[in-house]
Amino acid sequence: MSTILHALPDEAADAGPPSLRLPFDVAEVEHRPFTTARMTLRPLAAYDADDVWEYQRLPEVLRYIPWPERERDEAREHTEARAGMRRLVADGDAIFLAMVLDGRVIGDLMVRLSSAQHARLEIGWVVHPDFHGRGLATEGADVLLDLAFGRLAAHRVVAHLDARNAASAGLCERLGMRREATIVEEEYNDGEWQDTASYGMLRREWRALRAGVVTRNPA
């Protein structure tokens, strides 16, 4: 469980009109970073570029994320650009959190505003392969859900991923998200057409998980 403080929305709020709490600025997190059992989560910063490069350049990471291969200087500019995205105000805005373990950035997390009108947010993650299989991605993604549903009062949270990415699919299921669609041959990357898997969760489902009313899929 993360250290995000929030009031659990009531059932009436679940059925009511959209009520996203915007704008949101990552300065809130800068002054009070999130913590999990093993990590600190803070806004991604330009000075994280070297750590990010350590996983951004790996073929096994690029296989499932629509990032082009970049030279080190280009990758640094990319990290600087993402670090500069600090507010959720309008559709398409995104923020990024660095996953810090023992002083090293081992991955990063994203929250994107998909639709303010419909209170819908998208989440995403990328973790250095050396740290896979330890439950760290689950710890980080739990924070994203608490932020999205607790602080921001989203009605719905979605995750879209390469359908071949079994690890991320398993993570979505451990979080309690349901697989809602497979979009066949949605994108052409790496010389082939690729399917997209779409997962979703509603605020009332997150609230039930946090209250212990239902349990997660342990797979």
Side-chain angles (χ1 to χ4, degrees), residues 9 17 35 86 129 150 154 185:
T35 59
R86 298 179 55 85
E185 297 187 3

Side-chain angles (χ1 to χ4, degrees), residues 163-179:
R164 302 170 300 171
N165 192 341
S168 279
L171 171 56
C172 288
E173 290 164 10
R174 286 193 298 276
L175 293 171
M177 302 180 81
R178 83 182 66 78
R179 186 160 179 159

